[in-house]
Amino acid sequence: MYKKPKKRLGQNFLIDKNVLQKICNACNIVSSDIVVEIGPGRGELTSLLVQIPKKIYAIEKDLDLIQGLKDRFAENNNLEIINQDILKVELKDIYQTHKKKIKLIGNIPYNISSPIIEYLINNRDFIDNAFFTVQKEFAQRLTASSGSKLYGSLSCFAQYYSNPKIIFGISRNCFRPVPKVDSSFIRIDIKNELPLDKTSEKKFFEITRASFNQRRKTLRNSLSKFISQDILDDFFKISGLDINTRPEKMLIKDFLTLTKLVISKRYQKK
Ligand code: SAH
């Protein structure tokens, strides 16, 4: 009945009933919720999620899975199955239809985890929170704090805009086909207030990316090409950090201080 799972679409279906129920419970769905599920696949998680909310949109890119989903959920009037690439779905339209922020849920295709995080952040005005199953290492990178080996520009990007948290781990054996790595179930809450304006945000991400580009270099070396020595000197004085600090020792707060310094000096008259 089913076609062979497609690797290129990240098709690893979650088959463990206990884990599926645990995920559904952790999403805390209430009857007034508007849910968007990314990649329903054969509908295992969907069949649990669909029970509660006012409306659920299931966005599946693989046309070969659509008929199966339509047949399985023919009776569920609150579910809309859409054959589309999630990255092309306008969440704004869904938000405006219901005048309510969305809960984004999914066992997401591993090959597009990063683009989905970017999509989530770009659409943050229309999203309340997100619940994703991702590769364990990806979850660790999202949630890593300063000092960790996996702390990097992705951690800074995600944690600037949101609070990502690992809720529980999921063994690779709960999926078919069995992937090469374990997974984590994560929750991402969008922050309501951000410390920087749009121009400064751009600078902040330029700085974090450049800092982590060569992790083994000191911050000073990595940044000296595009931040002047006097700003860097001021930064080390103000932050109290050693001048040989490496990027992974920088808290997000420190990157914010540095960004503000760069921005303020730019507008100063010489
Ligand atoms: N939720 C199901 C399937 C997870 S596998 C389960 O837990 O068993 C990932 C699913 O995402 C697959 O069904 C795959 O076809 C779908 N998918 C892959 N890329 C997608 C994209 N860009 N947009 C929407 N769905 C996508």
Side-chain angles (χ1 to χ4, degrees):
M1 170 180 164
Y2 286 121
K3 301 230 163 93
K4 213 172 137 224
K6 295 175 182 138
K7 216 173 166 179
R8 116 193 112 75
L9 286 173
Q11 291 181 354
N12 295 99
F13 300 105
L14 192 45
I15 56 152
D16 186 303
K17 293 262 185 287
N18 291 328
V19 173
L20 284 160
Q21 190 61 56
K22 217 167 136 185
I23 288 178
C24 180
N25 296 347
C27 293
N28 270 328
I29 301 172
V30 294
S31 60
S32 58
D33 275 341
I34 305 300
V35 174
V36 172
E37 188 192 2
I38 303 174
R42 296 169 180 171
E44 289 304 303
L45 181 60
T46 320
S47 72
L48 300 175
L49 299 176
V50 75
Q51 305 301 331
I52 322 157
K54 190 162 142 205
K55 182 85 191 177
I56 167 165
Y57 297 86
I59 317 292
E60 174 54 62
K61 189 176 176 183
D62 187 358
L63 182 60
D64 289 340
L65 294 169
I66 296 294
Q67 198 51 52
L69 286 166
K70 289 205 165 146
D71 294 343
R72 181 168 184 179
F73 298 106
E75 312 277 303
N76 297 91
N77 299 324
N78 62 336
L79 172 68
E80 199 167 316
I81 296 154
I82 302 173
N83 180 211
Q84 175 69 284
D85 179 338
I86 182 63
L87 301 175
K88 294 190 181 134
V89 172
E90 294 286 351
L91 290 182
K92 186 179 182 183
D93 295 345
I94 296 179
Y95 167 74
Q96 281 177 343
T97 304
H98 301 280
K99 309 265 179 306
K100 189 162 172 29
K101 287 196 181 177
I102 296 159
K103 240 179 201 176
L104 195 59
I105 301 176
N107 166 17
I108 65 177
Y110 295 150
N111 50 348
I112 56 163
S113 299
S114 286
I116 287 179
I117 295 299
E118 224 179 298
Y119 172 81
L120 166 83
I121 299 298
N122 291 338
N123 284 282
R124 63 186 180 279
D125 290 347
F126 320 118
I127 297 170
D128 187 18
N129 44 25
F131 298 86
F132 294 150
T133 301
V134 295
Q135 286 195 356
K136 186 175 168 184
E137 194 195 286
F138 187 77
Q140 287 170 330
R141 282 168 57 207
L142 278 182
T143 55
S145 7
S146 120
S148 149
K149 246 201 229 154
L150 294 165
Y151 180 61
S153 49
L154 178 71
S155 328
C156 293
F157 177 69
Q159 292 169 35
Y160 174 80
Y161 289 110
S162 71
N163 293 310
K165 275 203 195 80
I166 296 176
I167 313 283
F168 51 83
I170 307 175
S171 153
R172 69 192 76 183
N173 298 314
C174 301
F175 299 88
R176 290 295 178 278
V178 178
K180 288 199 184 69
V181 290
D182 293 322
S183 288
S184 298
F185 181 68
I186 60 171
R187 172 184 176 135
I188 302 176
D189 290 293
I190 302 292
K191 283 183 185 166
N192 288 325
E193 278 172 42
L194 298 174
L196 301 173
D197 60 37
K198 286 249 148 50
T199 324
S200 314
E201 274 176 10
K202 259 186 147 168
K203 202 31 114 208
F204 174 82
F205 296 121
E206 262 174 50
I207 292 175
T208 53
R209 269 195 299 267
S211 304
F212 287 106
N213 218 353
Q214 288 158 293
R215 299 181 68 95
R216 284 189 308 187
K217 277 196 175 179
T218 64
L219 190 75
R220 193 183 196 87
N221 274 334
S222 291
L223 296 180
S224 60
K225 270 188 217 118
F226 76 111
I227 298 180
S228 69
Q229 280 307 326
D230 59 326
I231 296 182
L232 287 171
D233 284 343
D234 280 359
F235 170 70
F236 287 113
K237 234 182 268 159
I238 293 169
S239 66
L241 286 163
D242 187 279
I243 58 161
N244 294 319
T245 296
R246 288 181 201 283
E248 62 266 27
K249 287 278 182 265
M250 293 274 289
L251 301 171
I252 291 190
K253 165 175 93 54
D254 298 323
F255 281 119
L256 287 173
T257 306
L258 179 56
T259 306
K260 286 178 186 160
L261 218 55
V262 170
I263 294 280
S264 70
K265 293 266 176 171
R266 259 197 2 205
Y267 297 114
Q268 253 175 38
K269 288 201 186 113
K270 287 262 154 70

Coordinates of all heavy atoms in Angstrom, one line a residue, residues 151 207-226 232 236 242-250 255:
Y151 N 28.3 24.9 21.0 CA 27.8 26.4 21.0 C 28.4 27.1 19.8 O 29.6 27.0 19.5 CB 28.3 27.0 22.3 CG 28.0 28.4 22.5 CD1 26.7 28.9 22.6 CD2 29.0 29.4 22.7 CE1 26.4 30.2 22.8 CE2 28.7 30.7 22.9 CZ 27.4 31.1 23.0 OH 27.1 32.4 23.2
I207 N 28.7 39.5 13.4 CA 29.7 39.3 14.4 C 29.8 37.9 14.9 O 30.8 37.3 15.0 CB 29.5 40.3 15.6 CG1 29.8 41.7 15.1 CG2 30.4 40.0 16.8 CD1 29.5 42.8 16.1
T208 N 28.6 37.3 15.2 CA 28.6 35.9 15.8 C 29.1 34.9 14.7 O 30.0 34.1 15.0 CB 27.2 35.4 16.3 OG1 26.3 35.6 15.2 CG2 26.8 36.2 17.5
R209 N 28.7 35.1 13.4 CA 29.1 34.2 12.4 C 30.7 34.3 12.2 O 31.4 33.3 12.1 CB 28.4 34.5 11.1 CG 27.1 33.6 10.9 CD 26.6 33.6 9.5 NE 26.3 35.0 9.1 CZ 25.1 35.5 9.2 NH1 24.1 34.8 9.6 NH2 24.8 36.7 8.8
A210 N 31.1 35.6 12.1 CA 32.6 35.8 11.9 C 33.4 35.2 13.1 O 34.5 34.6 12.9 CB 32.9 37.3 11.7
S211 N 32.8 35.4 14.3 CA 33.6 34.9 15.5 C 33.7 33.4 15.5 O 34.8 32.8 15.8 CB 32.8 35.3 16.7 OG 32.6 36.6 16.8
F212 N 32.7 32.7 15.1 CA 32.7 31.2 15.1 C 33.2 30.6 13.8 O 33.4 29.4 13.7 CB 31.3 30.6 15.4 CG 30.9 30.8 16.8 CD1 29.9 31.8 17.2 CD2 31.4 30.1 17.8 CE1 29.5 32.0 18.5 CE2 31.0 30.3 19.2 CZ 30.1 31.2 19.5
N213 N 33.5 31.4 12.8 CA 34.0 30.9 11.6 C 35.3 30.1 11.7 O 35.4 29.0 11.1 CB 34.2 32.1 10.6 CG 33.9 31.8 9.2 OD1 33.5 30.6 9.0 ND2 33.9 32.7 8.4
Q214 N 36.2 30.6 12.5 CA 37.4 29.8 12.9 C 37.4 29.7 14.4 O 37.9 30.6 15.0 CB 38.6 30.6 12.3 CG 38.7 30.5 10.8 CD 39.5 31.6 10.3 OE1 39.2 32.8 10.3 NE2 40.7 31.2 9.7
R215 N 36.8 28.6 14.9 CA 36.6 28.5 16.3 C 37.9 28.5 17.1 O 37.9 28.9 18.3 CB 35.9 27.2 16.6 CG 34.6 27.0 16.0 CD 34.0 25.7 16.4 NE 33.7 25.7 17.8 CZ 32.5 26.0 18.3 NH1 31.5 26.3 17.6 NH2 32.3 26.0 19.6
R216 N 39.0 28.1 16.5 CA 40.2 28.0 17.3 C 41.0 29.3 17.4 O 41.9 29.4 18.2 CB 41.1 26.8 16.8 CG 40.5 25.5 17.2 CD 41.4 24.4 16.9 NE 41.8 24.4 15.5 CZ 42.5 23.5 14.9 NH1 42.9 22.5 15.5 NH2 42.9 23.6 13.6
K217 N 40.5 30.3 16.6 CA 41.2 31.6 16.7 C 40.6 32.3 17.9 O 39.5 32.1 18.2 CB 40.9 32.4 15.4 CG 41.8 32.0 14.3 CD 41.7 33.2 13.2 CE 42.7 33.0 12.1 NZ 42.5 34.1 11.1
T218 N 41.4 33.3 18.4 CA 40.8 34.1 19.4 C 39.8 35.0 18.8 O 39.8 35.3 17.5 CB 41.8 35.0 20.1 OG1 42.4 35.9 19.2 CG2 42.9 34.1 20.7
L219 N 38.9 35.6 19.6 CA 37.9 36.5 19.1 C 38.5 37.7 18.4 O 38.1 38.1 17.3 CB 37.1 37.0 20.3 CG 35.8 37.7 20.0 CD1 34.7 36.8 19.5 CD2 35.4 38.5 21.3
R220 N 39.6 38.2 19.1 CA 40.3 39.3 18.6 C 40.8 39.1 17.1 O 40.6 39.9 16.3 CB 41.4 39.6 19.5 CG 42.1 41.0 19.3 CD 43.2 41.1 20.3 NE 43.6 42.5 20.3 CZ 43.0 43.4 21.1 NH1 42.2 43.0 22.0 NH2 43.4 44.7 21.0
N221 N 41.4 37.9 16.9 CA 41.9 37.6 15.6 C 40.8 37.5 14.6 O 41.0 38.0 13.4 CB 42.7 36.3 15.6 CG 44.2 36.6 16.0 OD1 44.7 37.7 15.8 ND2 44.8 35.6 16.6
S222 N 39.8 36.8 14.9 CA 38.7 36.6 13.9 C 38.0 37.9 13.6 O 37.6 38.0 12.4 CB 37.6 35.6 14.5 OG 38.2 34.4 14.6
L223 N 37.9 38.8 14.5 CA 37.2 40.0 14.2 C 38.0 41.2 13.8 O 37.4 42.2 13.3 CB 36.4 40.4 15.5 CG 35.3 39.4 15.9 CD1 34.6 39.9 17.2 CD2 34.3 39.2 14.8
S224 N 39.3 41.1 13.9 CA 40.2 42.3 13.7 C 40.1 42.8 12.2 O 40.3 44.0 12.0 CB 41.6 42.0 14.0 OG 42.1 40.9 13.2
K225 N 39.6 41.9 11.3 CA 39.5 42.4 9.9 C 38.4 43.4 9.7 O 38.5 44.2 8.9 CB 39.2 41.2 9.0 CG 40.5 40.6 8.5 CD 40.2 39.5 7.4 CE 41.2 38.4 7.6 NZ 40.6 37.1 7.9
F226 N 37.3 43.3 10.5 CA 36.2 44.2 10.3 C 35.7 45.0 11.5 O 34.8 45.7 11.4 CB 35.1 43.5 9.5 CG 34.2 42.6 10.2 CD1 32.9 43.0 10.4 CD2 34.7 41.4 10.7 CE1 32.1 42.1 11.1 CE2 33.9 40.5 11.3 CZ 32.5 40.9 11.6
L232 N 37.5 47.0 19.8 CA 37.8 45.7 20.5 C 38.5 45.9 21.8 O 38.1 45.3 22.8 CB 38.7 44.8 19.6 CG 38.0 44.2 18.4 CD1 39.0 43.5 17.4 CD2 37.0 43.2 18.8
F236 N 36.9 44.7 25.5 CA 37.5 43.8 26.5 C 37.6 44.5 27.8 O 37.4 43.9 28.9 CB 38.9 43.4 26.0 CG 38.9 42.3 24.9 CD1 39.3 42.6 23.7 CD2 38.3 41.1 25.2 CE1 39.2 41.6 22.7 CE2 38.2 40.1 24.2 CZ 38.7 40.4 22.9
D242 N 39.2 38.4 29.0 CA 40.6 38.4 28.7 C 40.7 38.7 27.2 O 39.9 38.2 26.4 CB 41.1 37.0 29.0 CG 42.6 36.9 28.8 OD1 43.0 36.7 27.6 OD2 43.3 37.0 29.8
I243 N 41.8 39.3 26.7 CA 41.9 39.7 25.3 C 42.1 38.4 24.4 O 42.0 38.5 23.2 CB 43.0 40.7 25.0 CG1 44.4 40.3 25.5 CG2 42.7 42.1 25.6 CD1 45.5 41.0 24.9
N244 N 42.5 37.3 25.0 CA 42.7 36.1 24.3 C 41.5 35.2 24.3 O 41.6 34.0 24.0 CB 43.9 35.3 24.8 CG 45.2 36.1 24.5 OD1 45.3 36.7 23.4 ND2 46.1 36.1 25.5
T245 N 40.3 35.7 24.7 CA 39.1 35.0 24.8 C 38.7 34.3 23.4 O 38.9 34.9 22.4 CB 37.9 35.9 25.2 OG1 38.2 36.4 26.5 CG2 36.6 35.2 25.1
R246 N 38.3 33.0 23.5 CA 37.9 32.4 22.3 C 36.3 32.5 22.2 O 35.7 32.7 23.2 CB 38.3 30.9 22.3 CG 39.8 30.8 22.1 CD 40.3 29.4 22.1 NE 41.7 29.4 22.3 CZ 42.6 29.7 21.5 NH1 42.3 30.0 20.2 NH2 43.9 29.7 21.8
P247 N 35.8 32.4 20.9 CA 34.4 32.7 20.8 C 33.4 31.9 21.6 O 32.4 32.4 22.1 CB 34.1 32.4 19.3 CG 35.3 31.6 18.8 CD 36.4 32.0 19.7
E248 N 33.8 30.6 21.9 CA 32.8 29.8 22.7 C 32.7 30.3 24.1 O 31.8 29.8 24.8 CB 33.2 28.3 22.6 CG 34.5 27.9 23.1 CD 35.6 27.8 22.1 OE1 35.4 28.6 21.1 OE2 36.5 27.1 22.2
K249 N 33.6 31.1 24.6 CA 33.5 31.6 25.9 C 32.5 32.9 26.0 O 32.2 33.4 27.1 CB 34.8 32.0 26.5 CG 35.7 30.8 26.8 CD 35.4 30.3 28.2 CE 36.2 29.1 28.6 NZ 35.7 27.8 28.3
M250 N 32.1 33.4 24.9 CA 31.3 34.6 24.8 C 29.9 34.2 25.1 O 29.3 33.4 24.3 CB 31.4 35.2 23.4 CG 32.8 35.8 23.1 SD 32.9 37.5 23.7 CE 31.8 38.4 22.6
F255 N 28.1 39.2 23.2 CA 28.0 39.5 21.8 C 27.1 40.8 21.6 O 27.3 41.6 20.7 CB 27.4 38.4 21.0 CG 28.5 37.3 20.6 CD1 28.3 36.0 21.1 CD2 29.6 37.6 19.9 CE1 29.2 35.0 20.8 CE2 30.5 36.6 19.5 CZ 30.3 35.3 20.0

